[in-house]
Amino acid sequence: MSLRTGFYPARVHEQRFTVGFEYPVVFCRAAFRLEEQTLAWAIAHREPERRHPVYAVIDAGLSDAQPELKARIVAYAAEHSASLELVAAPHELPGGEAAKNDPELVRKLWQAFARARLDRHAVVLAIGGGAVLDAVGFAAATTHRGVRLVRMPSTVLSQNDAGVGVKTSLNGFGAKNFVGTFTPPFAVVNDADLLATLPLREARAGLAEAVKVGLIRDSEFFAWLEANAAALGRAESAPLERAIQRCAELHLRHIASGGDPFESGSKRPLDYGHWAAHKLETLSEHGIRHGEAVAIGMALDAKYAELSGLLSTSALGRIVNVLERIGLALYHPLLSAESEGRLAILQGLQEFREHLGGTLTVTLLTDVGASREVSELDERVVAAAIAWLRDRAGA
Ligand SMILES: NC(=O)c1ccc[n+]([C@@H]2O[C@H](COP(=O)([O-])OP(=O)(O)OC[C@H]3O[C@@H](n4cnc5c(N)ncnc54)[C@H](O)[C@@H]3O)[C@@H](O)[C@H]2O)c1
Ligand SMILES: [Zn+2]
């Protein structure tokens, strides 16, 4: 039986309210230098008179690369003891997807938060890459239904994307980000100095997200990325910082003004290139970095758009060129892997739809800075786009 047109239950209370969110996203340097106030402010800005219990969690990959960091956090807290108090020694979490793949790590965080008697006004300070921020964010969001989270992203990708937004997540049951929440942070502190030890491969991967927001939202920024691609590919600090700030700004603006901060609709323009990217990450068992997979996914969807007559060949050329000049590969053998007689990557479309909810909505470019949504992709055209990427790569 289908619903009668115009049906409305006899007794309904239409419950409706809105909740405002605000959080500062700061760009700075040397946040742990003792005389710097920024981090103390980020923790205490809402009640500056009070001393705030802080539980610090640090990405083990970051603390391996910067072995003095834990001691610096402890010294900083001692110096700013009027505003904050470390309630335990900094807690290390494995870096990268390992942080999101093992639910036991989240259980240990909950246990540690319980032992430290964190209340909802205490602060969890998460320092690390996007994966650690996602996992710690999830643990904080689900402790007492939400403990304050201050993020200090330490990779290009987390400073320009993952760390500034409103999502937390874990991987599970074969899918990226299967578990998670929409929970805005309490504050974000992007310290450019944290990037000093980031491997070049990671910096380049993070730049893929900058190319993405340029392509979807800001053709001028895209042109700037083209002009600076070689320097960005070497992770030179001045252009890198500028790219990070602009990319973060565009993400923040999309969350605040895009009309769907918690992604209840099916449209996800900033997930351009991500249907294939998420599947590639899973197929490679996370051997491919998120940003690297996004670069491949964007090139694939750009070629698809060109083959479908939506995008000009010259715009396609600009897109693949800028990604390659940054140092990103645009083909991976797993793109051509088959499962049950079909390209395995295509399973990513179904998973993407499930993740969005509702109908499949894939963003395709019509130009640099302009796009449209489609609700299906032609498998033969996807295969042709993959063949083109493979031939170009000489694979
Ligand atoms: N929540 C969101 O909105 C959102 C958005 C985009 C991506 N993500 C997620 O972010 C994750 C990717 O994050 P990422 O690209 O930041 O990589 P990552 O978190 O996987 O970190 C990459 C590696 O760098 C190490 N590392 C971190 N900082 C370092 C530093 N300064 N020096 C040396 N090593 C350092 C880590 O230990 C890890 O080994 C993915 O899980 C992705 O799904 C989340
Ligand atoms: Zn992404």
Side-chain angles (χ1 to χ4, degrees), residues 59 61-62 65-66 95-97 100 128-132 134 154-155 157-158 161-162 167-168 176-177 194-195 197-199 202 209 289-290:
D59 183 316
L62 169 65
Q66 303 187 21
E97 292 301 310
K100 292 170 64 168
V132 162
D134 272 355
S154 69
T155 62
L157 188 131
S158 57
D161 180 340
K167 296 187 265 187
T168 79
K176 279 274 296 178
N177 303 328
L194 285 180
L195 302 178
T197 53
L198 191 67
E202 297 291 343
E209 300 281 8
R289 313 289 312 118
H290 178 71

Side-chain angles (χ1 to χ4, degrees), residues 210-297:
V211 171
K212 178 199 71 184
V213 288
L215 278 174
I216 297 296
R217 285 279 187 256
D218 184 347
S219 57
E220 262 179 53
F221 179 45
F222 182 84
W224 182 87
L225 291 166
E226 281 179 307
N228 291 277
L232 288 166
R234 294 189 294 270
E236 285 179 18
S237 60
L240 192 63
E241 278 173 50
R242 176 142 176 224
I244 287 171
Q245 284 196 29
R246 182 66 186 147
C247 181
E249 255 168 46
L250 289 165
H251 268 114
L252 289 165
R253 190 185 297 170
H254 174 77
I255 292 167
S257 332
D260 192 14
F262 292 170
E263 300 175 355
S264 359
S266 299
K267 284 191 198 166
R268 294 268 287 277
L270 290 191
D271 272 354
Y272 175 61
H274 278 54
W275 73 265
H278 283 158
K279 190 64 196 171
L280 263 183
E281 286 181 81
T282 314
L283 285 173
S284 74
E285 294 170 356
H286 306 291
I288 308 178
R289 313 289 312 118
H290 178 71
E292 291 170 344
V294 170
I296 294 170

